[in-house]
Amino acid sequence: MDQLDKGCLSSMYKAIKVIVKGKVQGVGFRPFIYSLSKKHHINGTVQNNFDGVTILAEGKDGQLEKMVDEIKRNPPKLAKVSEINVHQIPLSHYKEFTIIPSRKNGESIPWIPSDAAICGNCLDEMNDPYNRRFQYPFINCTQCGPRYTIINRLPYDRSNTTMKEFTMCHDCQVEYEDPSNRRHHAQPICCSVCGPTVMLYNQCGKSLAENQSAIIQTIDFIKQGKIVAIKGIGGFHLACDAYQEKTVDQLRNRKKRPQKPLAIMVKSLEVVRNLCYISSLEEDFLTSPEMPIVILKRKRNGGLPPNISPGLSTIGVMLPYTPLHHLLFGNKQLECIVMTSANPSGLPILYREDHLEYLQNICDYFLTHNRKIDFPIDDSVVQCDGENTIFVRRARGFVPEPLKTTSNVDHIIALGGNQKNTFSVGKQNNIVISPHIGDLENEEMIASFEEHLHHYKAFLGVKEVNVAVDKHPLYASTSIANKLNRNIISIQHHHAHHVSCMEDNGLNESCLGIILDGTGYGEDGNIWGFEFLYGDAKSFERLAHLKYTPLPGGEKAVKEPWRNAVGMLLFYWPQEGKEFCMKLFPDRVKEINMMEQMIVHQLNTPMAGTCGRLFDAISAILGICSISTYEGEAAVKLSDYMNKTVLESTDERYSFHIKTNTPNLLELDVSPMIYQIIQEKLQQQSVTEIIQKFQTTLVSCCIQMVLKLLRNRPELNRTVVLSGGSFQNVFLASEIRKGLQKEGFTVYTHRNVPCNDGGLSLGQIIIAAHQL
């Protein structure tokens, strides 16, 4: 950056050009600059373009310096300044300071603004009976409201959003054009005279009420135990009274979601504290402009029915983040609502009016509005482990904020994996990661993926030359890549996890990676997922792994964990193991005999060594979960036992072996541990104590393996990254990190993207850049 000449007298009148890059559109940046111009007696212009914001400023040298300093130190709350460049230019002798129309040019990455929760000022106005926007459910300003979900092209001007359908009234126009007003160039600006309206319909599509009457009637219906589909910023939610257990059961039955946890929206922080334990870090996330769902530990006497999150001690909680949400809680009748995504399981987000037909047999009423959603988006989900934040799902509020990189990712796209899919698009030295899309298991989800990808490429002006995909030959992303007819780069699943965590922490040097995952296609044709790798974005070496065991039925064993357990027992102990199977699963005798033959004859029985499948097997053996009704259920419920009681420090561990498989590959054999667990289960020992010892043993396995690897290879870097979906287990992540740190290792976990497959595309795009 060119520095201002410090030797000049502070009274010298001069001109500078300031280019500000980053998240500076849709955040009130131009009105902020205008206010600085008045404060520091500066003339000139400010303008948006694809590069960011350009300021031409003329004034006294000292005042110009002060203005630039304030831009650096105190930008608007929603802004994220990544770069400021200052150049001295010839004087143009401006008579005043003005905001001029946007330019649709520029070569840098366009920073698409993200949606933001309602700010305090707008909330105060909405609750003020004397304000013209009193109880108006679409109130917003430059510091809050919809952004990403209403944009159809850049730059971010009203004419390029779905708000172009609403002509501003005189009062809104005056506010919009007044540079001193906090709604100056707030693109979604509106009021009850000129803006969107809320409508309530019954199942048959009959209109029942509008605006405030619709909201009041919706509150009454929810209190009566009805289920209402509510249109939010990024799509439809299904809502009901969270305290009414029968209604929650009804919602589960209608949606065919028997066990998966339901998120709740809670009226206030005070109510959250009554229901859950909450740390200061968790509170900060709940009240941030992004307002994600935060996974909290629930209080036993909090009053919520157990069927909100069956079998779990935690619950996903969010605060009201739109004006409409606040109005639903406004009359004190409601304080806690189930607020779960409305889409049927395995299908894309429902966000258009013509999608409501999917919901006719699920909900009793529809509360919708006529502001179109261009880009659907899910709620973000985060979890805190005391010191760090884990992204479970990165979406509303955090997307589509680009990540800077030192790798040349320009015109590369990475298509992610099949589960928890996200894709990444590279432009110059920036990576833009899509929001959570979901599992690419049907035509509807694939079509949704392709639509999102098309929009992102158009937004960013990217014409991909290279496409990175997972090495699994049957993943949908591979067939999508083939249709693009570009250079395809296939990347091993766990290498992508490894590099994703490295990139997330700005690491470039080769390091160790512990990748604990569900399933990933291995280079030897087996299923990997409990890996000890060493390398960087250029290459990796597999140093150790969990011993393979059969997975009878393949994908069926993933959905039915008891099959996974049977496969392990019959493999490790063909005779005694079968007796164990009959005792543990007495109602599965016929299937056990069939699986025995499948294993002997290697019929539809891939070999797998994964952390997720190990958790599944132990969960089934202990009777916690034999059939998974949602992805990862057995592991999630098993892991949650570590939250259900105060853990006593113990040195007890189960036995395990670390063996040399080949000269350069170690193998972890946990069969002694599984045998001991079965014995203790059959002896009816405490399940909680067994689970604590099991997870503590896994921590020890990982630490001992890393120490043995370093003894064999002392030249290896003592930096370790932890990645893979199993690290959503807070106990595993925290204890492995602390244990390795005590041994002198530097340990990194994910910071900005999920450790699960939602972060996979980040690793893929970096590896592709280095391979090229």
Side-chain angles (χ1 to χ4, degrees):
M1 179 176 75
D2 295 344
Q3 298 294 319
L4 295 175
D5 185 357
K6 303 293 183 182
C8 294
L9 296 172
S10 62
S11 61
M12 180 182 288
Y13 200 83
K14 60 192 295 186
I16 58 172
K17 180 179 183 179
V18 184
I19 299 173
V20 187
K21 297 180 180 180
K23 187 179 178 180
V24 290
Q25 295 189 21
V27 296
F29 208 87
R30 289 176 296 175
F32 164 69
I33 298 298
Y34 182 87
S35 68
L36 291 184
S37 75
K38 298 304 177 190
K39 179 179 178 180
H40 298 295
H41 309 290
I42 290 168
N43 294 333
T45 64
V46 60
Q47 182 183 49
N48 272 350
N49 59 32
F50 279 175
D51 282 340
V53 170
T54 300
I55 306 158
L56 302 180
E58 297 181 353
K60 291 183 178 179
D61 195 1
Q63 296 298 92
L64 292 172
E65 286 188 23
K66 288 178 182 178
M67 182 191 75
V68 173
D69 188 56
E70 279 203 58
I71 295 172
K72 292 177 183 175
R73 289 187 299 102
N74 193 31
K77 184 178 178 181
L78 294 182
K80 289 189 178 178
V81 175
S82 62
E83 189 177 338
I84 299 177
N85 293 299
V86 183
H87 307 275
Q88 189 164 338
I89 58 174
L91 284 165
S92 294
H93 303 289
Y94 291 102
K95 301 300 182 186
E96 58 183 351
F97 195 91
T98 55
I99 297 174
I100 60 176
S102 303
R103 281 189 300 126
K104 298 179 182 180
N105 63 349
E107 293 301 321
S108 292
I109 184 167
W111 197 307
I112 308 161
S114 51
D115 305 303
I118 184 172
C119 68
N121 288 332
C122 283
L123 191 57
D124 289 342
E125 287 183 359
M126 190 182 74
N127 292 325
D128 180 2
Y130 300 101
N131 191 282
R132 73 186 189 91
R133 291 188 176 87
F134 176 56
Q135 294 187 333
Y136 183 57
F138 302 97
I139 188 171
N140 66 84
C141 70
T142 56
Q143 295 305 299
C144 68
R147 303 285 194 274
Y148 171 81
T149 49
I150 62 171
I151 301 169
N152 46 53
R153 60 181 175 273
L154 293 174
Y156 176 56
D157 289 327
R158 189 181 181 95
S159 59
N160 295 333
T161 73
T162 59
M163 285 300 296
K164 68 184 177 186
E165 298 177 15
F166 301 94
T167 304
M168 280 182 265
C169 67
H170 175 266
D171 289 342
C172 285
Q173 190 78 41
V174 168
E175 291 175 321
Y176 183 84
E177 292 176 356
D178 180 2
S180 64
N181 191 288
R182 67 186 183 85
R183 290 192 172 89
H184 179 61
H185 282 228
Q187 306 306 337
I189 188 174
C190 57
C191 68
S192 57
V193 174
C194 63
T197 56
V198 173
M199 297 83 72
L200 179 67
Y201 298 97
N202 65 14
Q203 278 182 318
C204 300
K206 181 183 176 182
S207 177
L208 303 180
E210 290 189 0
N211 298 324
Q212 191 59 20
S213 297
I215 294 167
I216 292 170
Q217 208 162 328
T218 298
I219 295 168
D220 289 340
F221 284 143
I222 292 174
K223 286 303 293 181
Q224 292 169 25
K226 304 299 183 184
I227 298 168
V228 184
I230 298 175
K231 187 177 180 181
I233 280 184
F236 282 93
H237 287 101
L238 292 174
C240 69
D241 189 343
Y243 290 120
Q244 297 189 36
E245 190 168 7
K246 287 184 179 178
T247 304
V248 175
D249 271 339
Q250 191 176 52
L251 173 59
R252 287 192 173 282
N253 290 334
R254 290 183 186 179
K255 202 185 176 194
K256 296 180 175 59
R257 186 174 174 171
Q259 292 287 313
K260 192 173 183 179
L262 301 170
I264 59 172
M265 181 173 282
V266 178
K267 180 178 183 177
S268 64
L269 268 177
E270 181 183 3
V271 178
V272 176
R273 293 190 188 102
N274 292 336
L275 298 174
C276 303
Y277 300 98
I278 179 170
S279 68
S280 58
L281 180 59
E282 289 163 340
E283 186 173 315
D284 288 345
F285 265 102
L286 276 173
T287 57
S288 67
E290 295 83 9
M291 281 197 175
I293 296 171
V294 181
I295 297 175
L296 301 176
K297 186 176 180 182
R298 59 197 286 181
K299 292 181 177 178
R300 290 184 180 178
N301 59 352
L304 285 171
N307 61 349
I308 297 286
S309 54
L312 300 178
S313 63
T314 56
I315 191 164
V317 179
M318 57 183 153
L319 290 174
Y321 58 84
T322 71
L324 178 59
H325 294 151
H326 279 276
L327 291 171
L328 290 171
F329 290 107
N331 66 359
K332 301 182 180 178
Q333 288 188 54
L334 296 171
E335 64 172 30
C336 185
I337 302 174
V338 168
M339 195 70 83
T340 186
S341 56
N343 53 293
S345 181
L347 291 178
I349 301 168
L350 304 181
Y351 67 99
R352 299 198 310 257
E353 305 308 305
D354 59 339
H355 289 159
L356 293 178
E357 62 187 70
Y358 288 102
L359 300 174
Q360 286 180 334
N361 297 322
I362 298 176
C363 65
D364 302 303
Y365 299 97
F366 305 98
L367 183 67
T368 185
H369 58 75
N370 58 344
R371 183 182 68 204
K372 289 181 182 176
I373 296 170
D374 253 10
F375 270 70
I377 197 166
D378 258 318
D379 294 309
S380 292
V381 183
V382 301
Q383 186 169 15
C384 304
D385 69 358
E387 301 174 22
N388 300 285
T389 302
I390 300 166
F391 272 95
V392 178
R393 186 167 71 202
R394 186 175 179 269
R396 176 183 52 78
F398 299 98
V399 168
E401 190 170 308
L403 303 177
K404 282 271 188 185
T405 181
T406 56
S407 301
N408 181 16
V409 295
D410 200 31
H411 294 286
I412 304 174
I413 62 172
L415 302 189
N418 249 35
Q419 274 71 47
K420 298 180 174 64
N421 178 273
T422 67
F423 59 80
S424 289
V425 178
K427 179 155 186 182
Q428 296 179 4
N429 62 337
N430 292 276
I431 301 167
V432 181
I433 304 176
S434 76
H436 168 86
I437 291 173
D439 299 347
L440 304 184
E441 294 181 341
N442 53 55
E443 290 181 10
E444 292 88 348
M445 290 302 299
I446 292 170
S448 175
F449 174 96
E450 291 178 326
E451 185 179 359
H452 273 81
L453 182 61
H454 173 77
H455 276 300
Y456 267 65
K457 285 165 31 178
F459 259 148
L460 300 171
V462 168
K463 294 181 179 178
E464 76 285 350
V465 177
N466 300 286
V467 182
V469 299
D470 192 280
K471 268 194 174 175
H472 197 300
L474 300 181
Y475 273 7
S477 53
T478 303
S479 60
I480 293 169
N482 287 332
K483 285 192 286 184
L484 293 173
N485 196 27
R486 297 289 186 267
N487 178 44
I488 297 175
I489 303 163
S490 296
I491 291 163
Q492 203 282 321
H493 189 91
H494 303 95
H495 186 205
H497 272 302
H498 184 147
V499 174
S500 176
C501 192
M502 288 181 66
E503 181 67 20
D504 209 2
N505 289 280
L507 305 177
N508 294 309
E509 287 187 27
S510 291
C511 65
L512 284 159
I514 302 176
I515 316 300
L516 303 185
D517 200 18
T519 56
Y521 185 76
E523 295 193 332
D524 57 3
N526 295 316
I527 299 172
W528 294 6
F530 200 125
E531 309 302 314
F532 297 82
L533 309 180
Y534 188 81
D536 54 20
K538 299 182 190 71
S539 64
F540 78 98
E541 181 182 359
R542 191 187 193 205
L543 302 181
H545 67 93
L546 180 67
K547 184 179 178 69
Y548 298 136
T549 55
L551 204 59
E555 187 63 29
K556 193 166 187 178
V558 175
K559 294 178 179 177
E560 299 184 16
W562 73 270
R563 293 176 178 271
N564 196 350
V566 169
M568 287 187 182
L569 302 191
L570 292 177
F571 176 77
Y572 282 127
W573 311 283
Q575 294 303 318
E576 192 179 9
K578 187 171 182 180
E579 294 174 18
F580 288 152
C581 292
M582 299 300 186
K583 290 178 181 177
L584 293 167
F585 312 109
D587 56 339
R588 304 285 189 178
V589 174
K590 185 178 178 181
E591 292 104 316
I592 291 168
N593 287 326
M594 190 182 301
M595 283 191 283
E596 183 181 31
Q597 293 305 308
M598 290 173 68
I599 292 169
V600 169
H601 297 290
Q602 298 179 358
L603 298 172
N604 190 22
T605 304
M607 299 297 284
T610 91
C611 188
R613 304 293 75 83
L614 177 60
F615 266 81
D616 283 357
I618 301 302
S619 188
I621 288 167
L622 297 178
I624 293 166
C625 181
S626 293
I627 305 289
S628 287
T629 64
Y630 61 90
E631 198 257 327
E633 179 181 351
V636 168
K637 288 184 172 177
L638 182 69
S639 303
D640 189 72
Y641 269 76
M642 305 302 276
N643 300 323
K644 290 182 177 178
T645 183
V646 177
L647 300 177
E648 295 182 9
S649 180
T650 176
D651 291 329
E652 285 191 81
R653 305 282 190 278
Y654 291 117
S655 302
F656 60 89
H657 301 308
I658 296 176
K659 303 175 180 178
T660 302
N661 189 2
T662 66
N664 296 315
L665 188 63
L666 298 181
E667 185 178 76
L668 175 63
D669 181 358
V670 294
S671 60
M673 174 183 72
I674 296 172
Y675 191 91
Q676 290 171 280
I677 288 173
I678 293 169
Q679 297 297 323
E680 292 180 356
K681 165 64 177 172
L682 295 176
Q683 293 163 13
Q684 298 184 325
Q685 291 193 23
S686 163
V687 168
T688 301
E689 290 179 11
I690 294 173
I691 292 169
Q692 180 181 353
K693 202 161 33 160
F694 161 66
Q695 298 204 51
T696 304
T697 301
L698 284 192
V699 173
S700 184
C701 287
C702 290
I703 294 169
Q704 292 306 313
M705 181 65 83
V706 169
L707 291 174
K708 186 172 179 71
L709 289 170
L710 264 292
R711 284 195 296 272
N712 292 347
R713 303 270 298 274
E715 77 279 5
L716 298 182
N717 188 344
R718 293 179 72 88
T719 298
V720 184
V721 294
L722 309 181
S723 190
S726 295
F727 279 115
Q728 287 175 203
N729 180 320
V730 170
F731 177 83
L732 273 189
S734 177
E735 292 302 308
I736 291 174
R737 183 179 66 243
K738 287 190 286 189
L740 287 172
Q741 285 171 341
K742 284 180 182 176
E743 297 291 344
F745 292 89
T746 304
V747 184
Y748 293 90
T749 55
H750 283 271
R751 299 185 305 132
N752 300 299
V753 300
C755 60
N756 60 41
D757 283 6
L760 202 66
S761 63
L762 175 62
Q764 289 175 343
I765 200 168
I766 297 298
I767 294 168
H770 283 269
Q771 286 195 10
L772 291 166

